Amino acid sequence: MQWAKVLGGLVGAAALLGLGIIVGHFAIPKVSDALASQDLDQKLLETVLGQLDASRIRDNLRELSRKPHLATTARDEELVQLLLQRWRDPESGLDSAQASQYEVLLSFPGREQPNRVDVVDPTGKVQFSCRQSEEDLTGEQGDPDVVPPYAAYSPPGTPQGLLVYANRGTEADFKELQSRGIALQNTIALTRYGGAGRGAKAVNAAKFGVAGVLVYTDPADINDGRSWPNETFPHSWGLPPSGVERGSYYEYFGDPLTPYLPAKPSSFRLDAATGFPPIPTQPIGFEDAKLLLCQLQGPLAPAAWQGALGCDYKLGPGFQAGGKFTNDRGEAGGAEPFLHPSLPSQVKVSVHNRQELRNSSNVLGIIRGAVEPDRYVLYGNHRDSWVHGAVDPSSGTAVLLELSRVLGTLLKKGEVVPSPGRGPYLPPGLTSACPFPSSWASCATSSLHCPAPARAKLRAQRSILFASWGAEEFGLIGSTEFTEEFFSKLQERAVAYINVDISVFANATLRAQGTPPVQSVIFSAAKQIPAPGTSHLSIYDNWIRHFNRSSSVYGLVPSLGSLGAGSDYAPFVHFLGISSMDIAYTYDRSKTSARIYPTYHTAFDTFDYVDKFLDPGFGSHQAVARTAGSVTLRLSDSLFLPLNVSDYRETLRSFLQAAQQELGALLEQQGISLAPLVAAIENEQGQRGSGRLTSTAGCKLVVGCRLQGDQRAVTSSPLQVRMLNDQLMLLERAFLNSRAFPEERYYRPPQPRQWGGAFVLSDKKELNLSPASHVLWAPRTGSTATFPGLANACARAKDTGSGPAEWAEVQRQLSIVVAALEGAAATLKPVADL
């Protein structure tokens, strides 16, 4: 009964804060300050945010990135132990922490027989060899634990053939070469990053008979055209000429041998995995790519295919006569005559990758909730990197460790000791420090006002679970295995997932991606925190200056990007249907066209790179910690979950408008009507509380009708609060349909997209989506910006000559969308109303 009294007393907070976030401006009767104090306490929030220390984050990053820590290596295991030690610390640790292992299939380059890329003459003599390691510019690139550049999961092999330039390696690029009469059979294709996922480049190439693929980063795409050594790191943030982007070329995510199952000893394993590149593939630096590309013969490449290597890009096949590798006298490299002067030099790609079963660890730490310990707010990031990984992922882990330290100190001591020499945190507009409040006290058995001693243990209403995922770089493996192992528990209990992978790409502005219901809680957090480097702007105000959109509901607001499959949020969104977000600081797109920070996945992603070029002073790291920390507390300690389901209305209406304008006439010719879709989205008629996602009645229905009509019915029962929160929490699950896209085991992102206008995700872990695919956020291959299944089916129907089977699939996809929307709307109805 005491627990019921406390929850009943907490309702006033929802009237003052929670309901405004969830359902907008519905008139809720005012209640006493005593009741309101039991909701999320702003003074506590300010105290927590004020203790997030930039210097501690900097120290964390220095330690995390001190050595290379590829997944499952000795240094990776050392970091597992570091996390456990921090989260079990008696002064600042969490309630509990543990590591769990999965036996997963990973891919590594051969040490005894390194991967090579050579130019060879017809006798097999090597004329030129690409670098096998990056230039040691700072002493860190020569570390013996630096893994040589390679394409993870590329098959071994030694293909040899004439070189062709295939731009970004999309299927359209290879078709363009074919249309120009370029013979592709048994060639080696030189491609550049971007435009298609890593693995997709090899898949596309193999369709046209290409024998092997090379991938490089063009300075036009990453360095704003700068390519000279004195223009790049360590003199600027630019990628040095020898820099090579490593990455996974696996098409799916999770352990390759145990799809849908956790990679435990008892699990069934496939005899042979799928989703790997069909032909040998190897990445190289742009200094080597320049030597190859600038020697090609053949027609001039299209203007859109040109880059910044200082020469005209030609298509090949083969090298030009009289160049570095061949000339019209049949000489090789200006030296000995060829035995076969009519044969040109070729490129030989030697890949000696091996696959191994390795034990990879996730590390989990938890703060148990005081009132609803079975409701989880998850906060995660991966731990493994390709090399030192100061930006990716250690900038995120450094923030995670600092946030967990502050909350752990509250948990253990009931107070947070300020760092020496630091004053209190003051949000924009606040002129004095706030006293430490007691509202977070562990009061499940206390009186209504819950008075707490100064050193009472403090905890939120819901549990907070911190996670450090293993083997993410190989295909989101740690997070996927976790969701597969705890599928049922997480679907029933997870409130939201907060992902902070790369916390700082650069120091200009916040960049956030997420499902629509999390928009309001991110905005609320960002409005309260000062932007680093500005004297008067909040993070929200600074964000809106850099990336904004015009909302039909709110006016001008910051752009919230959509979630693809680029980091560990993917299985939570696409597999479990959990409201998710990804938070970072990024760069000013008006000042650079870089598709991502330049040293991404190279041996130059080091602590000094971050400290000198990305975030001197670590103010942006601190800003991300404060933003993510505020979101975490709001989700874990607000009486009513701050998930604004009505924010789906703009997404749904924009999808509907695109379908009507671009597909309506075509569908009408086939006798397919969009009327059911219109009704599912726009119909506000019928009985009060129809549950339509975009209607006023539907928005009111979640909380408004019952609280406005009889507030005491809710305040008298914590089960009413729980019931309303469950409706908000479970809405996202209604958009899952495991049979929506049965043609693939998993689903492929069609190409890079720009998230929220902040940066192009390009090749960052562009992996396939999960089997229970989200009907709103699945990959879209069709050009129409509408519901993915409908757009993709229409594109296929048009491309295949509009046969009856293809148009039947269009009708099926339309029905799937309508059913999902109606099912989601039904979750907003009163629970007893069937």
Side-chain angles (χ1 to χ4, degrees):
M1 292 302 297
Q2 291 295 329
W3 183 82
K5 277 181 66 178
V6 172
L7 255 188
L10 292 175
V11 169
L16 297 178
L17 175 64
L19 292 180
I21 297 174
I22 297 171
V23 298
H25 305 289
F26 296 112
I28 305 296
K30 292 184 178 180
V31 295
S32 70
D33 292 340
L35 297 182
S37 68
Q38 300 307 308
D39 194 29
L40 172 69
D41 192 294
Q42 289 292 328
K43 292 180 180 179
L44 169 69
L45 182 61
E46 291 156 9
T47 300
V48 171
L49 301 187
Q51 300 307 312
L52 294 168
D53 188 346
S55 65
R56 289 181 183 266
I57 297 173
R58 183 178 185 272
D59 291 342
N60 289 340
L61 185 64
R62 184 192 295 277
E63 174 59 27
L64 291 165
S65 61
R66 182 167 55 83
K67 296 282 290 181
H69 47 285
L70 189 65
T72 73
T73 60
R75 178 58 179 170
D76 183 36
E77 180 57 30
E78 287 177 8
L79 294 184
V80 169
Q81 297 306 314
L82 182 148
L83 283 153
L84 289 173
Q85 180 268 323
R86 295 280 186 95
W87 289 348
R88 292 171 176 171
D89 187 280
E91 299 295 320
S92 59
L94 311 181
D95 281 320
S96 62
Q98 65 182 44
S100 58
Q101 285 192 339
Y102 300 94
E103 189 178 38
V104 298
L105 185 69
L106 304 184
S107 169
F108 302 97
R111 283 287 188 180
E112 298 76 17
Q113 198 173 14
N115 295 349
R116 298 176 56 95
V117 176
D118 302 308
V119 177
V120 297
D121 69 19
T123 70
K125 180 181 178 180
V126 174
Q127 297 176 284
F128 169 76
S129 295
C130 294
R131 278 184 171 272
Q132 295 179 23
S133 61
E134 289 145 307
E135 185 177 1
D136 190 0
L137 297 177
T138 65
E140 296 155 299
Q141 295 73 41
D143 189 303
D145 291 330
V146 170
V147 67
Y150 77 114
Y153 297 108
S154 168
T158 55
Q160 180 176 317
L162 298 178
L163 188 68
V164 296
Y165 171 53
N167 193 30
R168 301 186 187 277
T170 66
E171 189 167 353
D173 290 336
F174 286 106
K175 286 181 178 179
E176 175 67 19
L177 291 173
Q178 201 172 53
S179 72
R180 290 172 175 253
I182 306 296
L184 295 173
Q185 191 69 30
N186 296 322
T187 58
I188 303 298
L190 176 62
T191 65
R192 58 203 270 191
Y193 276 116
R198 297 187 193 94
K201 297 178 191 295
V203 171
N204 295 334
K207 292 177 182 177
F208 293 85
V210 173
V213 174
L214 301 177
V215 190
Y216 80 100
T217 302
D218 197 288
D221 303 324
I222 205 73
N223 283 352
D224 297 311
R226 299 179 181 90
S227 60
W228 295 106
N230 62 356
E231 299 176 313
T232 59
F233 183 76
H235 306 288
S236 77
W237 85 322
L239 177 68
S242 67
V244 183
E245 179 181 323
R246 299 149 180 82
S248 175
Y249 285 66
Y250 178 45
E251 291 187 86
Y252 309 144
F253 58 58
D255 172 48
L257 294 178
T258 58
Y260 315 150
L261 298 171
K264 294 292 187 177
S266 61
S267 294
F268 170 79
R269 279 181 162 78
L270 300 174
D271 291 331
T274 60
F276 300 148
I279 55 178
T281 305
Q282 176 69 17
I284 61 175
F286 69 75
E287 71 173 350
D288 288 332
K290 177 178 181 177
L291 287 171
L292 299 177
L293 185 50
C294 293
Q295 294 296 314
L296 280 181
Q297 64 180 357
L300 191 67
W305 293 26
Q306 298 294 323
L309 292 180
C311 65
D312 291 331
Y313 293 11
K314 295 182 179 179
L315 301 177
F319 297 112
Q320 58 187 312
K324 179 177 178 62
F325 304 126
T326 62
N327 59 43
D328 56 3
R329 294 179 297 170
E331 296 179 349
E336 300 175 3
F338 283 163
L339 295 178
H340 306 282
S342 62
L343 299 178
S345 295
Q346 297 183 339
V347 171
K348 182 178 181 180
V349 180
S350 302
V351 174
H352 303 287
N353 293 352
R354 68 189 191 280
Q355 294 179 2
E356 295 182 18
L357 283 174
R358 294 279 192 93
N359 287 325
S360 177
S361 297
N362 290 339
V363 187
L364 304 174
I366 191 167
I367 299 175
R368 290 187 300 274
V371 179
E372 293 185 283
D374 65 332
R375 289 294 180 260
Y376 313 142
V377 175
L378 297 105
Y379 181 115
N381 178 35
H382 69 100
R383 180 185 62 259
D384 63 304
S385 67
W386 287 111
V387 194
H388 295 85
V391 182
D392 182 12
S394 298
S395 64
T397 305
V399 166
L400 180 151
L401 284 172
E402 175 62 1
L403 178 58
S404 62
R405 179 196 68 84
V406 171
L407 295 180
T409 303
L410 280 171
L411 182 70
K412 299 294 186 182
K413 294 185 174 181
E415 62 183 352
V416 178
V417 179
S419 299
R422 293 186 58 83
Y425 163 81
L426 298 177
L430 194 66
T431 57
S432 63
C434 301
F436 182 77
S438 61
S439 68
W440 229 25
S442 184
C443 55
T445 59
S446 69
S447 65
L448 178 64
H449 296 290
C450 197
R455 298 180 67 82
K457 289 185 179 180
L458 305 176
R459 61 181 70 245
Q461 297 185 53
R462 303 177 190 93
S463 295
I464 301 172
L465 192 154
F466 292 105
S468 173
W469 310 119
E472 187 266 4
E473 294 292 4
F474 288 85
L476 315 186
I477 289 178
S479 56
T480 300
E481 299 311 303
F482 175 77
T483 58
E484 289 172 344
E485 182 173 11
F486 300 105
F487 179 88
S488 297
K489 179 183 286 189
L490 292 170
Q491 274 213 321
E492 293 172 0
R493 302 179 183 181
V495 170
Y497 176 69
I498 302 160
N499 196 68
V500 182
D501 183 340
I502 297 173
S503 69
V504 175
F505 293 86
N507 59 1
T509 179
L510 189 73
R511 179 239 65 187
Q513 303 162 218
T515 52
V518 306
Q519 173 179 269
S520 62
V521 69
I522 298 175
F523 285 1
S524 296
K527 288 176 180 178
Q528 189 183 15
I529 302 166
T534 64
S535 58
H536 61 283
L537 294 178
S538 68
I539 287 177
Y540 180 92
D541 294 330
N542 185 59
W543 183 10
I544 208 171
R545 290 172 60 192
H546 287 86
F547 308 115
N548 59 65
R549 67 180 181 88
S550 179
S551 165
S552 60
V553 178
Y554 305 109
L556 193 68
V557 296
S559 297
L560 181 77
S562 302
L563 293 174
S567 190
D568 289 301
Y569 51 74
F572 290 93
V573 174
H574 301 288
F575 192 44
L576 297 175
I578 293 171
S579 295
S580 301
M581 69 197 78
D582 185 79
I583 299 172
Y585 238 71
T586 191
Y587 41 85
D588 186 340
R589 295 296 299 177
S590 68
K591 295 182 178 179
T592 178
S593 61
R595 63 177 178 84
I596 199 167
Y597 73 95
T599 65
Y600 172 68
H601 285 191
T602 73
F604 304 105
D605 182 357
T606 61
F607 173 81
D608 287 340
Y609 179 77
V610 176
D611 197 36
K612 184 175 181 180
F613 297 110
L614 293 196
D615 191 23
F618 280 68
S620 296
H621 283 78
Q622 183 183 49
V624 171
R626 286 173 170 173
T627 305
S630 177
V631 169
T632 300
L633 294 183
R634 291 168 188 272
L635 287 167
S636 61
D637 205 39
S638 295
L639 179 63
F640 287 99
L641 292 176
L643 298 175
N644 192 351
V645 298
S646 65
D647 280 344
Y648 252 121
R649 76 182 77 180
E650 290 187 271
T651 298
L652 298 178
R653 284 176 171 160
S654 69
F655 281 9
L656 173 61
Q657 184 178 31
Q660 290 173 321
Q661 293 178 351
E662 299 182 39
L663 302 177
L666 177 65
L667 294 176
E668 187 175 346
Q669 293 173 7
Q670 302 298 323
I672 300 174
S673 172
L674 289 175
L677 183 61
V678 174
I681 294 175
E682 296 289 7
N683 186 3
E684 298 184 12
Q685 305 302 316
Q687 62 179 5
R688 182 172 179 264
S690 64
R692 299 293 177 185
L693 285 172
T694 58
S695 69
T696 303
C699 297
K700 273 188 175 184
L701 202 63
V702 183
V703 179
C705 293
R706 278 168 282 170
L707 285 191
Q708 272 189 286
D710 186 2
Q711 188 178 15
R712 288 172 297 179
V714 174
T715 60
S716 64
S717 171
L719 294 180
Q720 289 278 358
V721 177
R722 171 87 160 200
M723 182 172 62
L724 298 176
N725 280 336
D726 281 355
Q727 288 178 273
L728 296 169
M729 180 180 78
L730 296 173
L731 173 71
E732 203 74 46
R733 320 292 203 263
F735 293 116
L736 295 179
N737 188 318
S738 61
R739 300 305 301 161
F741 310 98
E743 66 275 9
E744 296 282 356
R745 191 182 85 191
Y746 296 83
Y747 304 106
R748 298 181 178 87
Q751 61 181 22
R753 285 181 278 180
Q754 189 164 322
W755 308 120
F759 77 102
V760 179
L761 189 61
S762 67
D763 306 285
K764 178 168 175 54
K765 295 152 251 180
E766 285 182 8
L767 304 163
N768 295 359
L769 306 187
S770 297
S773 193
H774 202 297
V775 300
L776 301 184
W777 307 121
R780 189 176 62 244
T781 55
S783 59
T784 304
T786 187
F787 302 96
L790 180 61
N792 299 348
C794 284
R796 286 193 297 267
K798 289 188 293 184
D799 290 344
T800 57
S802 305
E806 287 75 24
W807 288 110
E809 176 62 15
V810 172
Q811 182 70 70
R812 190 181 79 90
Q813 289 293 338
L814 180 60
S815 297
I816 286 171
V817 171
V818 171
L821 294 175
E822 291 179 342
T827 67
L828 304 184
K829 291 183 179 181
V831 174
D833 183 0
L834 297 179

